[in-house]
Amino acid sequence: MDWSPIIISMKTAFASICVTFFFGMALGELVFCMKNKKLKMVLDGIFTLPLVLPPTVAGFLLLYLFGIRRPIGKFLMEHFLIKIAFSWEATVLAAVLISFPLMYRAARGAFEQVDENLLYAGRTLGMSEWDIFWKVQLPSAKPGIVSGTVLAFARGLGEFGATAMIAGNISGKTRTLPLAVYAAVASGDMHEAAKYVAVLIGFSFFVVVLMNYFAARQTSEKGHS
């Protein structure tokens, strides 16, 4: 079995979750704290949109922006000699776009579940909003955030449609596990495809177990509080 799709998928998933985690947390907190309800609805719709769009549509939009003759792609190539389309970086870009809504919604939902009385108590004690976030809000929202992180990581690992559009299916370079399954089936090698499928199923099962663990832990913590 060719191990490169597994290595590429893991590298892509780890790189994408590093971006998705911080952006999801920051924008989840931003929307949660926003007072303007109309703007809040608009931003929430924009941040959630990749979750409901077909991945191929998201991939087309990425290709339209980052293609070598397209606005951002042309600028990066001419000024920095950076080619995004059909590179490993494109697999990360696709994974970030598709997995971001999961992290964002998990973070926002976790922040909304934090007892507001804890936040008010922090302000009464003279804590800054920054300290309240790190010492009160984030620890209270930790189980939900961790679950969102695990789910977003798994989604980035399993991304197919957007990756195929913006990164292609280049063996040893952009061929991730889902693309390897497709390529093996297309070539008639069902045995090879089954190996990759087994890896994906095993990892997906592990993710479900982690999700259930953190959900049970969150319920237990609420029961003891």
Side-chain angles (χ1 to χ4, degrees):
M1 182 175 70
D2 182 8
W3 288 88
S4 65
I6 299 175
I7 296 172
I8 292 170
S9 288
M10 295 302 294
K11 284 172 57 181
T12 297
F14 275 112
S16 66
I17 198 59
C18 289
V19 178
T20 303
F21 177 79
F22 290 105
F23 274 94
M25 287 262 293
L27 295 177
E29 173 70 3
L30 174 68
V31 173
F32 167 68
C33 294
M34 196 167 288
K35 304 301 182 184
N36 188 321
K37 291 186 178 180
K38 290 183 179 179
L39 181 58
K40 189 173 185 175
M41 290 177 61
V42 171
L43 289 179
D44 185 69
I46 293 173
F47 297 151
T48 307
L49 190 60
L51 186 64
V52 296
L53 278 178
T56 50
V57 174
F60 170 81
L61 294 174
L62 289 177
L63 188 60
Y64 188 84
L65 292 173
F66 290 93
I68 197 169
R69 292 185 177 84
R70 296 299 177 177
I72 300 177
K74 185 177 181 180
F75 174 81
L76 291 174
M77 191 63 185
E78 289 181 351
H79 293 84
F80 302 101
L81 297 179
I82 297 175
K83 181 177 177 288
I84 297 294
F86 304 105
S87 67
W88 174 76
E89 288 76 11
T91 68
V92 177
L93 187 63
V96 166
L97 180 65
I98 298 301
S99 63
F100 167 79
L102 296 174
M103 186 67 227
Y104 157 73
R105 295 199 69 84
R108 182 187 166 189
F111 292 144
E112 289 174 346
Q113 294 300 315
V114 175
D115 188 351
E116 289 188 358
N117 292 324
L118 296 176
L119 307 182
Y120 293 144
R123 296 186 183 104
T124 302
L125 293 172
M127 296 175 66
S128 66
E129 292 298 323
W130 183 256
D131 285 338
I132 290 173
F133 175 77
W134 285 104
K135 296 179 181 180
V136 180
Q137 191 175 7
L138 189 59
S140 299
K142 182 180 176 181
I145 290 173
V146 173
S147 296
T149 303
V150 172
L151 192 59
F153 179 85
R155 185 65 186 86
L157 185 70
E159 164 50 30
F160 175 79
T163 303
M165 292 290 289
I166 183 68
N169 188 9
I170 306 171
S171 179
K173 185 177 181 181
T174 66
R175 180 173 290 173
T176 58
L177 273 170
L179 289 170
V181 173
Y182 176 81
V185 172
S187 65
D189 192 347
M190 301 299 288
H191 182 66
E192 184 81 356
K195 292 179 181 178
Y196 292 130
V197 168
V199 173
L200 284 169
I201 290 175
F203 187 81
S204 298
F205 178 76
F206 177 69
V207 167
V208 171
V209 171
L210 277 182
M211 290 285 293
N212 290 335
Y213 167 77
F214 286 114
R217 182 177 175 181
Q218 188 173 21
T219 302
S220 176
E221 288 178 356
K222 285 183 178 180
H224 288 92
S225 60

